[in-house]
């Protein structure tokens, strides 16, 4: 610290001296002054370089970018060889920004360093000034706590829009409540309150939602609390529990596709009538989730794949046996990604949405068996996931006390104008 101060003082003195000196020193003085605000980015003093910023265009390659900037082929080859363990230079994606730090005073402005930004936080530095090295880094992220609340008048996304909140909160909420609330059937008057954190870089640039730490959702007049709690700090296992330490997770997810991708187009209905069939009753024993072709289909619970085939009206389908009671099946896939005998975990991708077999549009028909009979999964009381460890329960209840108080203290502001109710999906 002291040394740094002395150096700074010396510099100032030198500058001062130069200032009072002869005219030929003026140029130097200007440089000292220009260097005064010393912008740092990616761990470099930007003033030491000519900084060239650009974006990877489609068809651009690492070699081309450097070639255009007067780096010879053999050097490019060396760089590619030496850095391949850290970063695969063939993986540059169009649209991603990059920065070249070039030698000052070199008429060709040759770069010494290539920085590729994978996202707004993470970047890769490939340094080839003298020796070649590459490393991955992240910009320091500031986490800021926020509160949010709203009432569902027409849809969750409309409520978030009205409150000026990010749609990502809807996805996060639907993940937290994936087992407890049917997000496809939210009701007018449902309420939510959230305590969550946002990420900022350089103190002020918003880069997204970090996560939700506590939530309250009143659905159909019933309150659902959710608190994030780490049950294993070594394995970093984090789960959501309610106000009584009951795990929000269930053995089954409510949908075989992630909420943001879908809407339910047809529910389990034993008395469904179809015009096409002369309005006769054609029971529908599955739940159809309409989603674009290629949307990942996930297993709703842990289990073993017992069928994976293409057959008749089912098209491409996968059937997963979860235990002696429950089996689930997923129809009309464009492609299957599960083999018979394979163990799949809840949330694992087992195929992709398609239109194979008997279907008029892209969707996954989700079928749910209980003891060999097809039932409506939305009407089942499904088994819970593991409860919280008894040793942890007390500390959990202590931990959530202030959070619950904070949640309860959030006042929900009712929008003045009521939007007409429309279907939630
Ligand atoms: Zn169906």
């Amino acid at each position: 610290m002291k040394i740094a101060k002395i150096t700074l003082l010396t510099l100032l003195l030198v500058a001062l001296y130069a200032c009072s000196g002869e005219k030929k020193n003026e140029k130097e003085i200007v440089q000292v002054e220009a260097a005064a605000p010393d912008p740092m980015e990616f761990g470099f003093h930007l003033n030491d370089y000519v900084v060239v910023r650009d974006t990877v265009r489609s068809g651009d390659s690492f070699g081309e970018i450097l070639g255009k900037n007067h780096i010879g082929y053999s050097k490019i080859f060396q760089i590619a060889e030496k850095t391949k363990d850290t970063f695969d230079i063939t993986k540059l994606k169009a649209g991603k920004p990059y920065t070249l730090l070039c030698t000052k005073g070199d008429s060709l402005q040759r770069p010494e360093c290539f920085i590729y930004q994978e996202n707004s936080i993470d970047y890769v530095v490939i340094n080839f000034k003298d020796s070649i090295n590459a490393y991955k880094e992240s910009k320091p992220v500031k986490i800021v706590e926020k509160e949010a609340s709203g009432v569902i008048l027409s849809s969750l996304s409309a409520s978030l829009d009205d409150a000026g909140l990010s749609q990502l909160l809807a996805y996060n909420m639907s993940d937290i409540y994936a087992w407890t609330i049917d997000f496809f059937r939210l009701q007018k008057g449902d309420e939510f309150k959230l305590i969550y954190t946002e990420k900022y870089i350089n103190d002020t640039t918003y880069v997204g939602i970090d996560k939700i730490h506590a939530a309250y959702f009143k659905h159909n007049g019933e309150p659902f609390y959710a608190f994030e709690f780490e049950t294993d700090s070594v394995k970093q296992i984090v789960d959501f529990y309610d106000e009584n330490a009951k795990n929000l997770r269930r053995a089954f997810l409510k949908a075989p596709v992630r909420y943001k991708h879908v809407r339910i187009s047809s529910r389990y209905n034993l008395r469904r009538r179809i015009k096409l069939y002369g309005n006769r009753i054609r029971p529908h024993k599955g739940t159809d989730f309409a989603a674009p072709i290629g949307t990942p289909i996930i297993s709703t619970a842990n289990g073993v794949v017992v069928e994976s085939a293409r057959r008749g009206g089912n098209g491409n389908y996968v059937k997963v046996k979860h235990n002696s009671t429950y089996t689930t099946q997923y129809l009309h896939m464009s492609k299957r990604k599960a083999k018979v005998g394979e163990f799949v975990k809840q949330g694992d991708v087992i195929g992709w949405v398609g239109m194979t077999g008997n279907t008029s549009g892209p969707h996954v028909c989700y079928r749910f068996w209980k003891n060999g009979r097809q039932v409506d999964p939305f009407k089942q009381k499904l088994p819970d996931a593991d409860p919280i460890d008894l040793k942890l329960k007390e500390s959990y209840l202590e931990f959530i006390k202030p959070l619950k108080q904070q949640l309860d203290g959030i006042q929900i502001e009712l929008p003045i104008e009521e939007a007409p109710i429309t279907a939630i999906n």
Side-chain angles (χ1 to χ4, degrees):
M1 206 46 202
K2 228 173 202 163
I3 294 168
K5 259 187 199 160
I6 290 166
T7 317
L8 192 67
L9 196 69
T10 317
L11 270 174
L12 277 172
L13 284 174
V14 168
L16 222 61
Y17 172 77
C19 216
S20 62
E22 294 156 66
K23 267 217 159 122
K24 66 173 180 186
N25 279 331
E26 257 180 24
K27 209 177 165 204
E28 266 180 64
I29 298 162
V30 170
Q31 275 185 352
V32 170
E33 277 175 356
D38 184 12
M40 290 268 305
E41 199 179 353
F42 310 115
F44 291 89
H45 294 273
L46 297 186
N47 284 341
D48 296 348
Y49 305 91
V50 175
V51 180
V52 178
R53 294 178 196 269
D54 209 336
T55 305
V56 179
R57 317 239 162 93
S58 89
D60 261 359
S61 70
F62 180 75
E64 257 175 74
I65 291 170
L66 289 198
K68 265 194 307 207
N69 285 280
H70 317 290
I71 301 289
Y73 178 75
S74 69
K75 180 96 179 199
I76 293 169
F77 182 74
Q78 277 174 34
I79 296 169
E81 272 301 297
K82 284 224 167 142
T83 59
K84 66 180 179 215
D85 293 334
T86 315
F87 181 65
D88 181 353
I89 54 150
T90 63
K91 294 271 160 69
L92 295 189
K93 283 199 193 106
K96 300 279 180 194
Y98 67 85
T99 304
L100 292 167
L101 301 180
C102 308
T103 323
K104 259 190 176 172
D106 174 355
S107 60
L108 285 178
Q109 270 189 23
R110 254 179 293 250
E112 300 177 348
C113 188
F114 174 85
I115 299 155
Y116 174 69
Q117 280 173 270
E118 296 181 307
N119 54 53
S120 47
I121 295 169
D122 306 307
Y123 58 92
V124 183
V125 177
I126 300 179
N127 209 328
F128 41 88
K129 187 183 179 187
D130 303 311
S131 60
I132 298 162
N133 65 72
Y135 52 90
K136 291 188 173 188
E137 265 298 348
S138 305
K139 290 190 173 186
V141 175
K142 192 167 123 186
I143 304 289
V144 179
E145 189 186 286
K146 300 267 173 168
E147 289 179 355
S149 67
V151 181
I152 313 294
L153 295 176
S154 55
S155 72
L156 179 56
S157 62
S159 302
L160 290 169
D161 261 357
D162 289 348
L165 298 166
S166 163
Q167 291 297 328
L168 284 173
L169 287 173
Y171 305 146
N172 283 315
M173 270 190 270
S174 66
D175 274 353
I176 293 170
Y177 291 110
W179 296 269
T180 38
I181 297 174
D182 181 354
F183 264 69
F184 302 101
R185 278 188 173 176
L186 295 181
Q187 304 289 322
K188 185 179 179 181
D190 281 358
E191 295 172 355
F192 65 89
K193 299 181 193 180
L194 306 170
I195 300 169
Y196 67 103
T197 41
E198 289 180 340
K199 290 183 283 190
Y200 291 83
I201 50 168
N202 309 329
D203 271 357
T204 48
T205 312
Y206 169 78
V207 289
I209 307 280
D210 174 37
K211 53 184 167 177
I212 294 176
H213 300 276
Y216 163 91
F217 211 106
K218 195 171 92 183
H219 176 55
N220 270 333
E222 218 189 308
F224 292 92
Y225 283 93
F227 301 96
E228 182 199 42
F229 190 65
E230 193 177 65
T231 51
D232 189 329
S233 55
V234 181
K235 289 186 197 151
Q236 293 191 311
I237 294 174
V238 173
D239 244 328
F240 279 87
Y241 299 88
D242 72 3
E243 72 277 26
N244 301 313
K246 198 170 159 242
N247 198 329
L248 257 69
R249 213 152 40 80
R250 296 288 183 275
F252 286 88
L253 288 166
K254 283 208 181 254
V257 262
R258 310 250 304 163
Y259 168 75
K260 62 177 161 186
H261 298 301
V262 286
R263 64 191 176 81
I264 290 180
S265 49
S266 170
R267 284 185 179 267
Y268 179 95
N269 180 2
L270 295 178
R271 303 195 53 78
R272 178 176 69 165
R273 289 171 192 276
I274 295 183
K275 277 225 174 80
L276 200 68
Y277 298 104
N279 236 3
R280 265 172 306 174
I281 290 178
R282 301 278 298 203
H284 184 222
K285 292 186 174 176
T287 307
D288 291 345
F289 294 83
I293 286 183
T295 304
I297 296 171
I298 53 182
S299 179
T300 53
N302 297 346
V304 175
V305 177
V306 287
E307 285 176 46
S308 173
R310 178 165 188 159
R311 196 173 300 148
N314 286 355
N316 270 315
Y317 73 94
V318 170
K319 197 170 185 180
V320 182
K321 187 180 165 111
H322 305 290
N323 49 39
S324 56
T325 313
Y326 296 106
T327 305
T328 56
Q329 192 183 12
Y330 312 78
L331 313 185
H332 315 309
M333 292 175 168
S334 58
K335 241 177 99 187
R336 288 172 277 125
K337 196 201 176 223
K339 291 193 188 83
V340 171
E342 193 181 328
F343 177 78
V344 288
K345 287 205 303 281
Q346 181 176 65
D348 280 355
V349 176
I350 52 172
W352 292 273
V353 170
M355 298 184 55
T356 55
N358 236 340
T359 163
S360 55
H363 77 280
V364 50
C365 183
Y366 175 55
R367 292 169 175 243
F368 196 94
W369 273 267
K370 185 181 182 183
N371 297 319
R373 268 188 54 227
Q374 284 197 64
V375 295
D376 182 355
F378 287 93
K379 301 248 168 73
Q380 303 302 305
K381 203 165 163 32
L382 296 171
D384 293 342
D386 297 337
I388 200 164
D389 195 310
L390 271 181
K391 280 179 285 182
L392 286 173
K393 191 171 172 180
E394 210 172 310
S395 51
Y396 169 80
L397 292 173
E398 235 5 83
F399 169 80
I400 67 162
K401 251 186 213 167
L403 285 169
K404 184 167 181 295
Q405 249 172 27
Q406 191 182 342
L407 273 181
D408 291 341
I410 298 174
Q411 296 292 321
I412 294 175
E413 280 179 41
L414 281 162
I416 301 150
E417 259 178 78
E418 287 215 351
I421 184 145
T422 54
I424 208 75
N425 49 18

